[in-house]
Amino acid sequence: MLDDLIRKTIREMVGGGGPPVAFLTPKGDRGLFGPESVAWKVHADFISMMIGGISSLILQALHPQALAGVWDHSSFRQDLKGRLGRTAFFIAATTYGSVEMANNIIEKVNQIHTKITGFDEFGKPYSATDPHLLSWVHLTETYSFMGSFEDYRHEKLSAQDKDQYFLEMSFIGK
């Protein structure tokens, strides 16, 4: 019962609630991973994904350039619900959407990243297209999603499944 209340509250906060019909077409399109993937399994638990998302944001903020990029360019202060909703949609689209949907949202984010540049608190320049910075952000997400799935669900993934999950998620982080 508490899980249902938490799911409902978070879905309302990030703007989700209806059936994910956009992810059902075209029929037979397995998307980037397919239903037997570890990504589908890990990302299916909504609460652990939200826990992992918050965890990844905290870890990402430890990188001065990642923190500066978010602080300088994100709309989280004015539109937290919208910002969280867009991030949740990105994860859902790349995990469960068609290949076309996944590639379109990846391209959209990559285009947005070309405009995100500046200087961190130490005067070091940053760019959201920097491969090192992208790797940091993506690795913290993947690690956090996997860890929260195991901790919240009390379901340990095998070493092979963990390796497979990191491999699957590497296709999104490129």
Side-chain angles (χ1 to χ4, degrees):
M1 186 162 128
L2 182 58
D3 277 2
D4 291 337
L5 177 62
I6 293 169
R7 279 184 179 82
K8 180 179 182 284
T9 303
I10 295 172
R11 285 189 195 280
E12 288 172 359
M13 185 176 79
V14 299
V21 289
F23 304 111
L24 302 177
T25 57
K27 188 175 181 174
D29 186 328
R30 299 169 40 77
L32 297 179
F33 310 118
E36 71 285 348
S37 67
V38 181
W40 273 44
K41 179 180 183 174
V42 169
H43 297 179
D45 188 78
F46 189 72
I47 294 175
S48 67
M49 285 298 290
M50 293 299 107
I51 295 166
I54 298 300
S55 172
S56 73
L57 291 174
I58 293 167
L59 286 173
Q60 289 165 16
L62 295 174
H63 193 297
Q65 286 82 46
L67 178 60
V70 170
W71 192 258
D72 294 345
H73 297 277
S74 177
S75 63
F76 76 93
R77 288 185 295 278
Q78 300 82 23
D79 185 21
L80 181 59
K81 180 179 176 180
R83 184 70 202 97
L84 292 172
R86 288 186 297 278
T87 300
F89 180 80
F90 177 85
I91 297 298
T94 55
T95 304
Y96 302 109
S98 67
V99 170
E100 180 180 12
M101 177 188 282
N103 287 333
N104 286 342
I105 195 74
I106 291 168
E107 179 59 29
K108 181 178 181 179
V109 169
N110 286 339
Q111 287 299 313
I112 291 168
H113 283 170
T114 64
K115 300 173 187 142
I116 299 176
T117 62
F119 294 89
D120 70 15
E121 65 181 309
F122 304 106
K124 184 174 179 183
Y126 67 82
S127 169
T129 61
D130 173 3
H132 170 77
L133 191 55
L134 285 170
S135 292
W136 171 256
V137 169
H138 196 69
L139 184 61
T140 60
E141 288 175 347
T142 303
Y143 177 81
S144 294
F145 292 153
M146 183 178 62
S148 65
F149 172 83
E150 289 186 312
D151 291 344
Y152 181 77
R153 300 275 309 198
H154 305 290
E155 183 178 338
K156 296 297 178 193
L157 297 170
S158 69
Q160 181 180 353
D161 282 348
K162 289 178 182 182
D163 288 346
Q164 181 63 35
Y165 181 60
F166 276 99
L167 178 65
E168 291 167 2
M169 296 307 293
S170 73
F171 293 112
I172 297 172
K174 292 181 180 181

Short mmCIF file of all heavy atoms in Angstrom, two decimals, residues 108-148:
data_model
loop_
_atom_site.label_atom_id
_atom_site.label_comp_id
_atom_site.label_asym_id
_atom_site.label_seq_id
_atom_site.Cartn_x
_atom_site.Cartn_y
_atom_site.Cartn_z
N LYS A 108 18.10 14.63 -29.80
CA LYS A 108 17.61 15.89 -29.23
C LYS A 108 18.48 16.32 -28.04
O LYS A 108 18.87 17.49 -27.94
CB LYS A 108 16.15 15.74 -28.79
CG LYS A 108 15.55 16.99 -28.21
CD LYS A 108 14.09 16.78 -27.84
CE LYS A 108 13.50 18.06 -27.27
NZ LYS A 108 12.09 17.89 -26.92
N VAL A 109 18.78 15.38 -27.16
CA VAL A 109 19.62 15.70 -26.00
C VAL A 109 21.03 16.09 -26.45
O VAL A 109 21.62 17.04 -25.93
CB VAL A 109 19.63 14.54 -24.99
CG1 VAL A 109 20.69 14.73 -23.92
CG2 VAL A 109 18.25 14.38 -24.35
N ASN A 110 21.55 15.37 -27.42
CA ASN A 110 22.88 15.72 -27.94
C ASN A 110 22.90 17.13 -28.52
O ASN A 110 23.88 17.86 -28.34
CB ASN A 110 23.34 14.70 -28.99
CG ASN A 110 23.75 13.38 -28.38
OD1 ASN A 110 24.06 13.29 -27.19
ND2 ASN A 110 23.72 12.33 -29.17
N GLN A 111 21.84 17.53 -29.19
CA GLN A 111 21.75 18.89 -29.74
C GLN A 111 21.70 19.92 -28.61
O GLN A 111 22.34 20.97 -28.68
CB GLN A 111 20.54 19.04 -30.66
CG GLN A 111 20.70 18.36 -31.99
CD GLN A 111 21.86 18.92 -32.78
OE1 GLN A 111 22.03 20.12 -32.89
NE2 GLN A 111 22.69 18.03 -33.30
N ILE A 112 20.94 19.64 -27.59
CA ILE A 112 20.87 20.54 -26.43
C ILE A 112 22.26 20.68 -25.80
O ILE A 112 22.68 21.78 -25.44
CB ILE A 112 19.84 20.04 -25.40
CG1 ILE A 112 18.42 20.17 -25.98
CG2 ILE A 112 19.96 20.78 -24.08
CD1 ILE A 112 17.35 19.44 -25.19
N HIS A 113 22.97 19.57 -25.68
CA HIS A 113 24.29 19.59 -25.07
C HIS A 113 25.28 20.48 -25.81
O HIS A 113 26.21 21.01 -25.19
CB HIS A 113 24.85 18.17 -24.96
CG HIS A 113 24.26 17.39 -23.84
ND1 HIS A 113 24.46 16.04 -23.68
CD2 HIS A 113 23.46 17.75 -22.80
CE1 HIS A 113 23.83 15.61 -22.61
NE2 HIS A 113 23.20 16.63 -22.05
N THR A 114 25.10 20.67 -27.11
CA THR A 114 26.04 21.52 -27.85
C THR A 114 25.99 22.97 -27.38
O THR A 114 26.94 23.73 -27.59
CB THR A 114 25.78 21.48 -29.37
OG1 THR A 114 24.49 22.04 -29.65
CG2 THR A 114 25.89 20.06 -29.91
N LYS A 115 24.91 23.36 -26.73
CA LYS A 115 24.74 24.74 -26.26
C LYS A 115 25.15 24.93 -24.80
O LYS A 115 25.10 26.04 -24.28
CB LYS A 115 23.29 25.15 -26.44
CG LYS A 115 22.81 25.09 -27.88
CD LYS A 115 21.33 25.34 -27.98
CE LYS A 115 20.88 25.09 -29.41
NZ LYS A 115 19.59 24.45 -29.49
N ILE A 116 25.54 23.85 -24.14
CA ILE A 116 25.84 23.92 -22.71
C ILE A 116 27.35 24.00 -22.51
O ILE A 116 28.06 22.99 -22.56
CB ILE A 116 25.22 22.72 -21.97
CG1 ILE A 116 23.71 22.76 -22.14
CG2 ILE A 116 25.63 22.73 -20.50
CD1 ILE A 116 22.97 21.60 -21.55
N THR A 117 27.81 25.21 -22.31
CA THR A 117 29.23 25.47 -22.07
C THR A 117 29.35 26.55 -21.00
O THR A 117 28.39 27.28 -20.72
CB THR A 117 29.94 25.96 -23.35
OG1 THR A 117 29.34 27.19 -23.76
CG2 THR A 117 29.86 24.94 -24.46
N GLY A 118 30.52 26.65 -20.41
CA GLY A 118 30.75 27.69 -19.41
C GLY A 118 32.02 27.39 -18.63
O GLY A 118 32.90 26.67 -19.11
N PHE A 119 32.08 27.94 -17.43
CA PHE A 119 33.22 27.76 -16.56
C PHE A 119 32.73 27.31 -15.19
O PHE A 119 31.73 27.84 -14.69
CB PHE A 119 34.00 29.08 -16.41
CG PHE A 119 34.63 29.51 -17.71
CD1 PHE A 119 33.93 30.31 -18.60
CD2 PHE A 119 35.91 29.10 -18.04
CE1 PHE A 119 34.50 30.69 -19.80
CE2 PHE A 119 36.48 29.47 -19.24
CZ PHE A 119 35.78 30.27 -20.12
N ASP A 120 33.45 26.35 -14.60
CA ASP A 120 33.07 25.89 -13.26
C ASP A 120 33.55 26.89 -12.21
O ASP A 120 34.14 27.92 -12.54
CB ASP A 120 33.57 24.47 -13.00
CG ASP A 120 35.08 24.34 -12.84
OD1 ASP A 120 35.77 25.38 -12.64
OD2 ASP A 120 35.57 23.20 -12.89
N GLU A 121 33.33 26.58 -10.95
CA GLU A 121 33.69 27.49 -9.85
C GLU A 121 35.18 27.74 -9.74
O GLU A 121 35.60 28.71 -9.11
CB GLU A 121 33.14 26.96 -8.53
CG GLU A 121 33.77 25.64 -8.09
CD GLU A 121 33.21 25.13 -6.79
OE1 GLU A 121 33.17 25.89 -5.79
OE2 GLU A 121 32.80 23.95 -6.76
N PHE A 122 35.99 26.90 -10.37
CA PHE A 122 37.44 27.06 -10.32
C PHE A 122 37.98 27.73 -11.58
O PHE A 122 39.19 27.83 -11.77
CB PHE A 122 38.12 25.70 -10.13
CG PHE A 122 37.62 24.97 -8.91
CD1 PHE A 122 36.77 23.89 -9.04
CD2 PHE A 122 37.97 25.39 -7.63
CE1 PHE A 122 36.28 23.22 -7.92
CE2 PHE A 122 37.50 24.73 -6.51
CZ PHE A 122 36.64 23.65 -6.65
N GLY A 123 37.07 28.15 -12.46
CA GLY A 123 37.47 28.81 -13.70
C GLY A 123 37.83 27.85 -14.82
O GLY A 123 38.30 28.28 -15.88
N LYS A 124 37.59 26.57 -14.62
CA LYS A 124 37.89 25.58 -15.66
C LYS A 124 36.70 25.51 -16.62
O LYS A 124 35.55 25.40 -16.21
CB LYS A 124 38.14 24.21 -15.03
CG LYS A 124 38.54 23.16 -16.05
CD LYS A 124 38.91 21.85 -15.38
CE LYS A 124 39.29 20.83 -16.45
NZ LYS A 124 39.59 19.54 -15.89
N PRO A 125 36.98 25.55 -17.93
CA PRO A 125 35.88 25.49 -18.89
C PRO A 125 35.23 24.11 -18.93
O PRO A 125 35.88 23.10 -18.66
CB PRO A 125 36.55 25.81 -20.23
CG PRO A 125 37.97 25.48 -20.04
CD PRO A 125 38.28 25.67 -18.57
N TYR A 126 33.94 24.09 -19.24
CA TYR A 126 33.24 22.83 -19.42
C TYR A 126 32.37 22.90 -20.66
O TYR A 126 32.00 23.97 -21.13
CB TYR A 126 32.38 22.48 -18.20
CG TYR A 126 31.21 23.40 -17.98
CD1 TYR A 126 30.01 23.23 -18.68
CD2 TYR A 126 31.30 24.45 -17.07
CE1 TYR A 126 28.94 24.09 -18.47
CE2 TYR A 126 30.23 25.31 -16.87
CZ TYR A 126 29.05 25.12 -17.57
OH TYR A 126 28.00 25.97 -17.38
N SER A 127 32.08 21.74 -21.18
CA SER A 127 31.16 21.58 -22.30
C SER A 127 30.41 20.27 -22.08
O SER A 127 31.02 19.25 -21.76
CB SER A 127 31.91 21.52 -23.63
OG SER A 127 31.03 21.12 -24.67
N ALA A 128 29.11 20.30 -22.26
CA ALA A 128 28.31 19.09 -22.07
C ALA A 128 28.57 18.06 -23.16
O ALA A 128 28.08 16.94 -23.06
CB ALA A 128 26.83 19.45 -22.02
N THR A 129 29.36 18.41 -24.17
CA THR A 129 29.74 17.42 -25.19
C THR A 129 31.09 16.77 -24.88
O THR A 129 31.53 15.91 -25.64
CB THR A 129 29.79 18.07 -26.58
OG1 THR A 129 30.77 19.11 -26.58
CG2 THR A 129 28.44 18.62 -27.00
N ASP A 130 31.72 17.16 -23.80
CA ASP A 130 33.02 16.58 -23.40
C ASP A 130 32.81 15.09 -23.09
O ASP A 130 32.03 14.75 -22.19
CB ASP A 130 33.53 17.33 -22.17
CG ASP A 130 34.79 16.73 -21.57
OD1 ASP A 130 35.34 15.74 -22.11
OD2 ASP A 130 35.24 17.26 -20.53
N PRO A 131 33.51 14.20 -23.79
CA PRO A 131 33.31 12.76 -23.57
C PRO A 131 33.57 12.33 -22.12
O PRO A 131 32.86 11.46 -21.60
CB PRO A 131 34.32 12.10 -24.51
CG PRO A 131 34.60 13.12 -25.56
CD PRO A 131 34.45 14.47 -24.88
N HIS A 132 34.55 12.94 -21.47
CA HIS A 132 34.84 12.61 -20.07
C HIS A 132 33.65 12.98 -19.18
O HIS A 132 33.22 12.19 -18.32
CB HIS A 132 36.10 13.34 -19.59
CG HIS A 132 36.34 13.26 -18.12
ND1 HIS A 132 36.83 12.14 -17.51
CD2 HIS A 132 36.11 14.17 -17.14
CE1 HIS A 132 36.91 12.35 -16.20
NE2 HIS A 132 36.49 13.57 -15.95
N LEU A 133 33.11 14.15 -19.39
CA LEU A 133 31.97 14.61 -18.60
C LEU A 133 30.73 13.77 -18.87
O LEU A 133 30.01 13.37 -17.95
CB LEU A 133 31.70 16.09 -18.91
CG LEU A 133 30.73 16.83 -18.01
CD1 LEU A 133 31.12 16.73 -16.55
CD2 LEU A 133 30.65 18.29 -18.45
N LEU A 134 30.47 13.47 -20.13
CA LEU A 134 29.34 12.60 -20.48
C LEU A 134 29.49 11.22 -19.85
O LEU A 134 28.50 10.66 -19.36
CB LEU A 134 29.22 12.47 -22.00
CG LEU A 134 28.66 13.67 -22.74
CD1 LEU A 134 28.83 13.49 -24.24
CD2 LEU A 134 27.20 13.89 -22.39
N SER A 135 30.71 10.70 -19.86
CA SER A 135 30.93 9.38 -19.25
C SER A 135 30.64 9.42 -17.75
O SER A 135 30.02 8.50 -17.21
CB SER A 135 32.37 8.93 -19.48
OG SER A 135 32.59 8.66 -20.82
N TRP A 136 31.07 10.49 -17.08
CA TRP A 136 30.83 10.63 -15.65
C TRP A 136 29.32 10.63 -15.36
O TRP A 136 28.84 9.88 -14.51
CB TRP A 136 31.47 11.90 -15.11
CG TRP A 136 31.05 12.21 -13.69
CD1 TRP A 136 30.16 13.16 -13.29
CD2 TRP A 136 31.49 11.56 -12.51
NE1 TRP A 136 30.02 13.14 -11.93
CE2 TRP A 136 30.83 12.16 -11.42
CE3 TRP A 136 32.38 10.51 -12.26
CZ2 TRP A 136 31.03 11.75 -10.10
CZ3 TRP A 136 32.57 10.11 -10.94
CH2 TRP A 136 31.90 10.72 -9.88
N VAL A 137 28.60 11.45 -16.08
CA VAL A 137 27.16 11.57 -15.86
C VAL A 137 26.47 10.24 -16.14
O VAL A 137 25.65 9.76 -15.36
CB VAL A 137 26.57 12.71 -16.72
CG1 VAL A 137 25.06 12.68 -16.73
CG2 VAL A 137 27.09 14.06 -16.22
N HIS A 138 26.82 9.63 -17.25
CA HIS A 138 26.15 8.38 -17.63
C HIS A 138 26.51 7.23 -16.69
O HIS A 138 25.65 6.43 -16.32
CB HIS A 138 26.48 8.03 -19.08
CG HIS A 138 25.57 7.02 -19.63
ND1 HIS A 138 24.23 7.27 -19.88
CD2 HIS A 138 25.76 5.72 -19.93
CE1 HIS A 138 23.66 6.18 -20.33
NE2 HIS A 138 24.56 5.23 -20.36
N LEU A 139 27.76 7.16 -16.29
CA LEU A 139 28.18 6.10 -15.38
C LEU A 139 27.50 6.23 -14.02
O LEU A 139 27.07 5.23 -13.43
CB LEU A 139 29.70 6.10 -15.22
CG LEU A 139 30.29 4.99 -14.37
CD1 LEU A 139 29.97 3.62 -14.96
CD2 LEU A 139 31.79 5.17 -14.24
N THR A 140 27.38 7.46 -13.51
CA THR A 140 26.72 7.63 -12.22
C THR A 140 25.25 7.23 -12.30
O THR A 140 24.72 6.65 -11.35
CB THR A 140 26.83 9.08 -11.69
OG1 THR A 140 26.23 9.97 -12.61
CG2 THR A 140 28.28 9.45 -11.43
N GLU A 141 24.60 7.53 -13.43
CA GLU A 141 23.20 7.11 -13.60
C GLU A 141 23.09 5.59 -13.61
O GLU A 141 22.27 5.01 -12.89
CB GLU A 141 22.63 7.64 -14.92
CG GLU A 141 22.36 9.11 -14.94
CD GLU A 141 21.91 9.59 -16.31
OE1 GLU A 141 22.03 8.84 -17.31
OE2 GLU A 141 21.43 10.73 -16.38
N THR A 142 23.89 4.95 -14.43
CA THR A 142 23.83 3.51 -14.56
C THR A 142 24.12 2.82 -13.23
O THR A 142 23.38 1.93 -12.80
CB THR A 142 24.81 3.03 -15.66
OG1 THR A 142 24.50 3.72 -16.88
CG2 THR A 142 24.73 1.54 -15.88
N TYR A 143 25.18 3.25 -12.57
CA TYR A 143 25.55 2.68 -11.27
C TYR A 143 24.42 2.90 -10.25
O TYR A 143 24.07 1.99 -9.49
CB TYR A 143 26.85 3.32 -10.80
CG TYR A 143 27.30 2.87 -9.44
CD1 TYR A 143 27.98 1.67 -9.27
CD2 TYR A 143 27.04 3.65 -8.31
CE1 TYR A 143 28.39 1.25 -8.02
CE2 TYR A 143 27.45 3.24 -7.06
CZ TYR A 143 28.12 2.04 -6.92
OH TYR A 143 28.52 1.63 -5.67
N SER A 144 23.86 4.10 -10.24
CA SER A 144 22.81 4.42 -9.26
C SER A 144 21.52 3.66 -9.54
O SER A 144 20.87 3.18 -8.60
CB SER A 144 22.55 5.93 -9.26
OG SER A 144 23.67 6.63 -8.79
N PHE A 145 21.13 3.55 -10.80
CA PHE A 145 19.91 2.80 -11.13
C PHE A 145 20.07 1.33 -10.73
O PHE A 145 19.17 0.74 -10.13
CB PHE A 145 19.59 2.88 -12.62
CG PHE A 145 19.16 4.24 -13.10
CD1 PHE A 145 19.39 4.61 -14.42
CD2 PHE A 145 18.54 5.16 -12.27
CE1 PHE A 145 19.00 5.86 -14.89
CE2 PHE A 145 18.15 6.40 -12.72
CZ PHE A 145 18.38 6.75 -14.04
N MET A 146 21.22 0.76 -11.04
CA MET A 146 21.46 -0.64 -10.73
C MET A 146 21.49 -0.84 -9.20
O MET A 146 20.87 -1.77 -8.68
CB MET A 146 22.76 -1.11 -11.34
CG MET A 146 23.04 -2.59 -11.12
SD MET A 146 24.57 -3.14 -11.90
CE MET A 146 25.77 -2.14 -11.04
N GLY A 147 22.21 0.02 -8.50
CA GLY A 147 22.30 -0.12 -7.05
C GLY A 147 20.97 0.06 -6.35
O GLY A 147 20.64 -0.70 -5.42
N SER A 148 20.19 1.02 -6.79
CA SER A 148 18.89 1.23 -6.14
C SER A 148 17.94 0.07 -6.44
O SER A 148 17.15 -0.32 -5.59
CB SER A 148 18.28 2.57 -6.54
OG SER A 148 17.98 2.59 -7.91
#
